[in-house]
Amino acid sequence: MAPRKYGHATVHTLEHSPEYYRQMEGDLNVLEFTQRVYGRGSENLLSLVKNFWYRYCQFTKKNPVATLEGISINVLYAFFDWLLRERKGSLGAASSLQTLLHCPTTPPSRFRNKYFEVPRNPSSVFTGREEICEQLHACCSPSGKTNIQRQQKRFVIHGLGGSGKTQVCLKFAEDHREEFWGIFWMDASSAESLEQGYLQVAEVCGLEARVSVVQRWLSNTSEPWALILDNADDPRLDISRYFPVGNRGVVLITTRNRHCEFHSTVGSCELGAMATDEAVTLLLRTAGADNISDQSIRDAAESVVQTLGCLALAITQAGAVIRQGYCKMEEYRTLYSKHRKELLSQKAIQGGEDYRYTVYTTWEVSRQMIEEMSTETGQDALALLRMFSFLHYEGISEEIFNRVWRGLHKNRQSGWMISHQLKMLLRQSDQEWNVYPLRAAISILRSFSLIDCDKNELISVHPLVHSWTRDQMSASDEDAMWRQTTATIALSIPWTFETADYRFRQSMMPHIDACLGFRKEGVFSLRSVGEDCQIMASNFALVYSEVGRRQEALQLTERVVEAKKRTLGEEHPDTLTSIHTLVYMKTPQNTTNSYRQPSNSENELRIQHPNGRKTKRYPHLLDMDSIIFYQTPSKPSGKRSIPTAYTPYKETFLMAQENQDSILLPSDPFDLACKRGPDVAASYGMVD
């Protein structure tokens, strides 16, 4: 290295050409670089620069990760200007960048931490979660030597049980130990456990064994401290009663209850599923893979973590199963499909972390808490969760239940259909839809992070919670809930054709698929309920036809026609209506939208005998075709000509002929129309 002088400064340059550095830029393996093990001095230096960067971004109200990704000369210039001025203000003199970076914020001559009351180390395979760790560093680090801050720093981490909230806090405590004089950990799952935690602090610190004494002691100490309240999940517990008063200290809260965000003063974060790449690395580390960079191994691991919804606890359990030799990585999904409940309920002795719950038992705690509420709303919440487990796990809307309520209160329904609806809907007797009971139940499920809602208020359930909910049911309860869900979906489907109706029916397709997929025969598993089964099948066929799944729509409708012929007879108005629907579906030009509304001019049609014998008016019903044409066995005389009186129906009839359907005119179409027309009108509540 050759020194060169520029003014009063000496700059060292390396004896390499520009091409050398351009080649270095192109060849750098970023993944290898970021995973490199550095010496202690380098680690301290990198941590110091990182610390200043996050303090700068907090000061300028910028996202540190996003700003770093879009770094520019302008940003660097402003950062270093702030950095030098910051050091000048605290040290009394400006310093060169080289001197600055070798000036640690914590004196190296002594350890600062005196009390470290933390239950365990973070997992030896802790992976990822860099963004939340950096956010905690920026928001919860002590405020310097004087520890002066305007308000107590409180940060809330909320999310689904098993997402890794406790592990993140253990990692924070380990990484920031020397920044705090004291770090105290308490189990916040109940008032009793919190009080016990305070008494343990009193014992360790030599204080009187009273909660108020410990709180007052923390409120008045000038040393920086952090209080970690873990598992503050019970919505009935006011966690704020256990905060030391005043503006000192850091309080870090983990909870499934998103409403605890109310207590945050410096920030909050929802900890959800892991990023796929991080989840793969965690699985490979837990499974004891020799080479976690091997792409073929990572590809096999990716299919496993996707199956598990990238949930941290589920991934560590899967890794333990693979490490213990139950299966190979590529065999796990097959094993999971056959033994899901056993795998997600099994706790490994050497699981890589000391956590008292398995995937399934952690959610069982939430279910028990809801049951212990002993309220109508709590029972509604559990009933909703069970129904959600038979719908698709995403895109569940309030509109489903609004339309079911309308179907119950605006139209006459059978006793079977009414008995297979949610109690919260049956309790409503108001003339207008009251959404409050539904939203109150949803709020409880959200408070335990068992469900989530997006910006459009569409509900989603983590795939593993989705499976767990069904796995907790007995066989009889599962069958009853499947029946109830099927009836709910069917009743929500309207036979009106406004734009909003089309949109809603299309949104129901994933839910119909998910629900019917639980039974080999789908809706016809309910054939014993008779007419209700046929109505539900017709409703599902309507949705299939509108989303372009014509073959499935035809199969359902054909089975409905067969059932109606068998139970009602070929000339029954309902049979004729189903036949019309089937004919219309089979028409080539109706493959996308198999149903249409009659125009206003078609609401009434005059039917006149060819000989002018009689004239009668009948209300229009599904293009009136089903009253006039119906399916009969082929006759030697072949297909009859269409009487003059029926020319309004000529187009539909000819389309049926082109499709080679055996649809014939009855021997006396006028008499049939006169006989059946009033019956059809009466059966649909129409006026002649």
Side-chain angles (χ1 to χ4, degrees):
M1 212 163 32
R4 297 181 182 175
K5 289 214 173 200
Y6 292 91
H8 298 290
T10 299
V11 178
H12 295 270
T13 62
L14 294 172
E15 296 298 332
H16 288 300
S17 66
E19 289 74 17
Y20 172 86
Y21 293 103
R22 285 197 289 268
Q23 184 69 28
M24 179 183 289
E25 291 176 10
D27 293 345
L28 178 65
N29 185 325
V30 177
L31 181 62
E32 179 183 343
F33 179 75
T34 55
Q35 293 180 344
R36 183 180 299 170
V37 178
Y38 295 94
R40 187 170 182 82
S42 298
E43 288 274 1
N44 291 339
L45 184 59
L46 289 169
S47 296
L48 185 59
V49 174
K50 185 177 178 181
N51 180 33
F52 280 125
W53 173 252
Y54 277 89
R55 285 173 56 191
Y56 169 71
C57 289
Q58 185 180 15
F59 179 73
T60 56
K61 296 181 172 58
K62 291 183 177 180
N63 183 307
V65 177
T67 306
L68 187 62
E69 289 175 351
I71 197 78
S72 66
I73 295 296
N74 306 59
V75 174
L76 284 174
Y77 181 88
F79 168 59
F80 285 124
D81 182 76
W82 171 87
L83 187 58
L84 292 169
R85 292 176 187 278
E86 177 80 359
R87 298 305 300 173
K88 181 177 180 179
S90 60
L91 298 177
S95 36
S96 69
L97 183 60
Q98 185 177 10
T99 304
L100 171 67
L101 294 179
H102 286 83
C103 180
T105 55
T106 303
S109 58
R110 66 183 179 88
F111 291 112
R112 189 173 198 175
N113 183 256
K114 182 177 181 180
Y115 299 107
F116 191 66
E117 297 303 310
V118 175
R120 57 188 179 275
N121 290 322
S123 170
S124 59
V125 294
F126 183 93
T127 303
R129 299 303 195 187
E130 292 181 1
E131 188 170 346
I132 175 62
C133 290
E134 291 163 351
Q135 191 177 356
L136 285 172
H137 175 83
C139 296
C140 298
S141 293
S143 302
K145 291 182 179 180
T146 60
N147 195 32
I148 296 175
Q149 55 191 42
R150 290 178 298 174
Q151 60 182 348
Q152 190 175 78
K153 295 181 177 180
R154 294 196 292 270
F155 194 98
V156 177
I157 304 176
H158 62 90
L160 178 65
S163 58
K165 302 181 293 296
T166 299
Q167 283 294 315
V168 168
C169 289
L170 290 169
K171 184 66 174 171
F172 174 82
E174 180 183 74
D175 290 348
H176 297 269
R177 175 173 182 171
E178 299 307 331
E179 297 177 28
F180 292 96
W181 166 77
I183 298 180
F184 306 97
W185 188 289
M186 296 184 190
D187 177 6
S189 58
S190 67
E192 293 75 18
S193 64
L194 279 166
E195 290 171 6
Q196 183 61 34
Y198 268 106
L199 296 182
Q200 289 174 354
V201 172
E203 182 180 355
V204 169
C205 300
L207 303 173
E208 183 183 347
R210 284 198 298 155
V211 173
S212 59
V213 170
V214 179
Q215 287 180 317
R216 190 162 56 249
W217 177 68
L218 288 173
S219 296
N220 290 294
T221 184
S222 59
E223 298 287 356
W225 52 265
L227 177 62
I228 300 174
L229 304 179
D230 190 32
N231 293 323
D233 302 329
D234 192 341
R236 299 166 296 182
L237 178 64
D238 181 6
I239 194 70
S240 66
R241 292 172 47 208
Y242 298 92
F243 301 157
V245 299
N247 63 337
R248 296 180 182 176
V250 172
V251 179
L252 185 54
I253 304 165
T254 75
T255 178
R256 304 178 194 189
N257 185 359
R258 66 187 305 116
H259 300 313
C260 283
E261 283 183 309
F262 172 79
H263 300 300
S264 67
T265 60
V266 293
S268 65
C269 174
E270 180 175 9
L271 200 64
M274 299 182 72
T276 301
D277 195 55
E278 291 179 351
V280 167
T281 301
L282 174 61
L283 177 61
L284 293 175
R285 286 178 175 175
T286 310
D290 295 329
N291 182 6
I292 65 173
S293 300
D294 186 291
Q295 193 56 50
S296 61
I297 297 176
R298 294 187 71 86
D299 289 342
E302 183 172 345
S303 67
V304 174
V305 301
Q306 294 289 2
T307 298
L308 299 173
C310 292
L311 185 73
L313 180 57
I315 291 167
T316 58
Q317 285 184 224
V321 167
I322 295 168
R323 187 182 67 249
Q324 292 168 6
Y326 286 95
C327 64
K328 297 178 181 179
M329 184 71 70
E330 56 272 18
E331 297 170 342
Y332 182 84
R333 292 177 67 197
T334 302
L335 184 67
Y336 177 86
S337 67
K338 297 177 180 177
H339 302 282
R340 179 183 64 213
K341 187 174 182 178
E342 294 93 323
L343 289 174
L344 296 180
S345 302
Q346 178 176 315
K347 188 178 190 299
I349 297 174
Q350 304 294 335
E353 60 178 287
D354 180 17
Y355 189 63
R356 55 181 166 171
Y357 298 124
T358 65
V359 173
Y360 271 15
T361 57
T362 189
W363 301 327
E364 182 64 21
V365 171
S366 297
R367 187 190 65 79
Q368 289 174 358
M369 283 187 178
I370 297 174
E371 278 193 342
E372 289 169 3
M373 292 179 179
S374 300
T375 63
E376 203 169 59
T377 304
Q379 295 306 309
D380 288 344
L382 293 175
L384 264 185
L385 185 62
R386 288 191 289 268
M387 179 168 286
F388 291 165
S389 72
F390 288 96
L391 300 173
H392 191 272
Y393 56 81
E394 292 180 323
I396 304 169
S397 66
E398 287 183 3
E399 188 179 0
I400 297 173
F401 304 98
N402 185 346
R403 287 182 178 269
V404 169
W405 177 84
R406 276 187 265 171
L408 286 170
H409 289 78
K410 307 298 182 182
N411 302 311
R412 182 186 299 176
Q413 302 296 337
S414 70
W416 186 92
M417 186 65 75
I418 292 172
S419 66
H420 284 76
Q421 301 301 325
L422 291 169
K423 290 181 179 178
M424 77 168 77
L425 300 178
L426 298 176
R427 286 198 305 266
Q428 289 198 32
S429 58
D430 298 336
Q431 295 302 310
E432 294 185 3
W433 164 243
N434 178 11
V435 74
Y436 177 79
L438 175 64
R439 289 183 178 170
I442 289 172
S443 178
I444 288 178
L445 296 177
R446 290 191 71 184
S447 72
F448 286 94
S449 295
L450 291 170
I451 64 171
D452 197 10
C453 293
D454 65 15
K455 62 182 180 181
N456 297 316
E457 294 302 314
L458 292 177
I459 298 165
S460 61
V461 188
H462 190 281
L464 294 188
V465 176
H466 199 248
S467 302
W468 162 76
T469 307
R470 291 193 308 276
D471 287 344
Q472 303 313 300
M473 300 182 202
S474 65
S476 59
D477 287 345
E478 181 180 339
D479 184 65
M481 182 49 65
W482 177 78
R483 288 168 176 257
Q484 188 176 56
T485 307
T486 305
T488 296
I489 295 174
L491 190 54
S492 73
I493 296 170
W495 280 80
T496 49
F497 298 86
E498 301 295 333
T499 301
D501 301 320
Y502 283 109
R503 175 194 56 76
F504 175 76
R505 283 193 290 270
Q506 290 175 0
S507 74
M508 291 301 294
M509 192 69 265
H511 302 306
I512 295 172
D513 281 342
C515 186
L516 299 188
F518 288 107
R519 294 293 182 271
K520 185 177 180 180
E521 288 195 85
V523 67
F524 287 101
S525 299
L526 298 172
R527 65 170 63 86
S528 61
V529 302
E531 186 178 1
D532 285 304
C533 175
Q534 298 161 19
I535 292 171
M536 290 188 290
S538 297
N539 289 0
F540 297 149
L542 171 60
V543 179
Y544 280 128
S545 69
E546 287 185 345
V547 300
R549 292 166 61 171
R550 181 170 178 253
Q551 194 58 40
E552 290 156 291
L554 285 172
Q555 289 172 356
L556 281 176
T557 307
E558 284 171 350
R559 292 193 65 172
V560 170
V561 170
E562 291 171 6
K564 287 187 180 296
K565 283 182 177 180
R566 187 170 58 253
T567 58
L568 302 176
E570 293 186 353
E571 293 188 2
H572 191 279
D574 289 348
T575 306
L576 298 174
T577 299
S578 298
I579 291 172
H580 160 266
T581 301
L582 181 60
V583 172
Y584 206 79
M585 279 184 181
K586 288 186 175 182
T587 305
Q589 54 265 52
N590 295 318
T591 56
T592 302
N593 287 322
S594 296
Y595 300 88
R596 68 178 178 86
Q597 280 246 88
S599 64
N600 290 334
S601 62
E602 291 178 313
N603 282 340
E604 283 192 351
L605 294 174
R606 182 176 294 275
I607 300 177
Q608 185 169 359
H609 192 277
N611 298 328
R613 239 180 353 175
K614 297 178 183 177
T615 299
K616 196 170 181 64
R617 299 171 71 90
Y618 297 105
H620 184 280
L621 177 65
L622 290 176
D623 298 329
M624 203 66 178
D625 307 330
S626 56
I627 298 177
I628 299 171
F629 306 122
Y630 73 107
Q631 193 168 356
T632 61
S634 299
K635 297 181 180 180
S637 58
K639 296 179 179 177
R640 301 173 182 273
S641 60
I642 304 174
T644 305
Y646 299 98
T647 51
Y649 318 108
K650 180 177 180 179
E651 182 181 354
T652 301
F653 181 71
L654 292 179
M655 288 189 297
Q657 284 185 317
E658 289 173 7
N659 286 332
Q660 298 182 342
D661 292 322
S662 56
I663 296 184
L664 306 173
L665 284 172
S667 56
D668 190 342
F670 175 74
D671 288 343
L672 176 64
C674 290
K675 181 172 66 174
R676 288 298 183 193
D679 295 341
V680 173
S683 68
Y684 282 84
M686 298 178 177
V687 179
D688 187 300

